[in-house]
Amino acid sequence: MLDVSLDLHRDFLRADQAGQKLFARLTLRPDAQARQARPPLAIAFLIDTSGSMRDVVAPRTDAEQDVRAQNRLDIVIGALRKTLDAAGLTADDRLAVIRFDDDAEVLAPLTTHTRRARLIAASERLSRYAGGTQLGRGLEHALHLLQNETASRRIILLSDGQAEDEPRVRDLSQQLAAQHIPVTTIGVGDFNADLLNDLADTTQGRLIDVVADIPAPGSGSVNIHDLPNAIIGDVNHAQHEVITNAALSARTVKGVSLERVTRVFPVLTDVTMTQQPYTLGNIATTKQSVFILEFSLPARPAARIRLAQLGLTYDVPGANHRGELPPVDLVAEFTHDDTATARIDQQVMSDVQQRNVEQLVKQGIALARRGQADDAAKTIALARAQTQRLGNSAMTQALSRVLDELETSQTLSVGTAKTLSMSTKTQTMRVGDEALSQGLTEEELRRRTGA
C-alpha cells in the first residue's frame, strides 16, 4: 500500500578515495488502494490559556468582517468552533480539548464530532483560566490521551508564550516522536520560535506562524484573523494522511555511516536520529514525501558493493493495515573511470540543494545575531543564488527582502528571523528538468555539497 523509490545522486563513486558523500533520495507515495482509505482522526487541541493570551488584537477594517476587537483567546475559541462546523469531520473522528498555563487540564477527552456541544462547551471554558506557560504539562496530558489510539493521531498546539519548562518540552518531544504523534505548532505573537520549530521537527509535524499584520509574500505565515482557516486546513490535511507511523531502519556495512535524514518535501524537517527506527511521519495522498539520506563512505577498491539495507514499516489506519516492505538494498559501484564518476543525478541534487538553503539561512541568522552583518549578508546572498538556480522564486523574493533589511539596519529583527526560518521549511518545491538544466554545474554541485 506504499510505493517506494530510491535514487542515488551518483551510481559510480571514486575507488580508493576516503571521505566521499552519497546522497540517496527516498520517495514515498500511497498506492491507489491506500488513497481510498481515509483514516479516522484522533486530534488533541492543546491551548495556551496564560495571561498574555488576553492581549487584544487589532480588528480588521474591511467592511465584510466583524470589527469588534478581540483578544487572542477569543480568536482561538472562535477558530475551534469554526473547525467543528467546517472541517468535514465524520462520526469516526474524535477531538479533545486541553488547556495549559501554570497547570494543565483535559477539558474534553477524545469526543466524537456527533457530540459537538460538549466540545464547544469545553472551548468556551478556556476563557476562565490564566497564569504562566507550563507547556510540558499540557503535552503530558495530550500524550496520555493519544498514545494508545489506533487512529491517525495529531496534536494541534496554539501558544503565544515562552514555555517556562523548556527542558521538559524537549524531553516530551522525543517521547511523542517515539509514539509517532506529530505536533502542529501554531505560534501566535512573541513565541519561542526555536522551541516550537524543534517540537514540530522532532515529531515530523509543522510550524504555523501567526502574525498580527499582513504576512510577507512567500513567508508561509497567516494573519491572526485567518487562524480558523489555518486550523481547518491542518485538520483537512490530516484527513489525507492515509499512511501513518512511517519508520525507517538502516543497516550499513562496516565503515559506512548514515549521517543525516531530511524530509525535503512537502515541508522541510530534519528527522531525529537518536535511535532506530527513525520516525518519518505521515504520508498524504495529496503530495508525495521526499527524504534525502546522507551517507559518509570509506575508501573502497573498484567493485560493485552493497552499502546499506533499508527497511520501512507503516500503518494504514483507514484499512486497519500494518505494512512492512521487503528490505531495499542500496548499491553503488566504485571505479577509477572519471567519466562515470562525473555523472550526477541533478534531480536528486536539487533536493540536496533545497536542504542546503535552509542550512545557509540558519548560518546567516546566527551571524546576524552575533552582530556580523557583512558575513550574514554574504551567507544569505549565497542562499538566494541557490534558490534562483532552483527556480524557487518565492524564496528568492523572501531572501531579497532580508538582504535589504541587513543593508539598511545591519541586523535582523526577531520577526524577520522567525519568518525567514519558517519560509525555508514551507517554501520547498519539486524542481523540473527544465529548471535543472539552468542550474549548478556538476563541479559546483560537488564543491558545494561535498559529494
Side-chain angles (χ1 to χ4, degrees), residues 45-64:
F45 286 96
L46 181 56
I47 311 300
D48 182 351
T49 52
S50 61
S52 56
M53 287 291 284
R54 273 70 179 178
D55 290 349
V56 173
V57 176
R60 276 186 166 167
T61 58
D62 46 309
E64 295 182 0

Side-chain angles (χ1 to χ4, degrees), residues 377 380-381 384 396-412 416:
I380 296 297
R384 182 178 66 173
T396 299
Q397 293 173 18
L399 293 171
S400 293
R401 290 191 296 269
V402 170
L403 288 171
D404 290 342
E405 182 173 327
L406 278 170
E407 182 179 356
T408 302
S409 62
Q410 294 297 296
T411 188
L412 289 180
T416 296

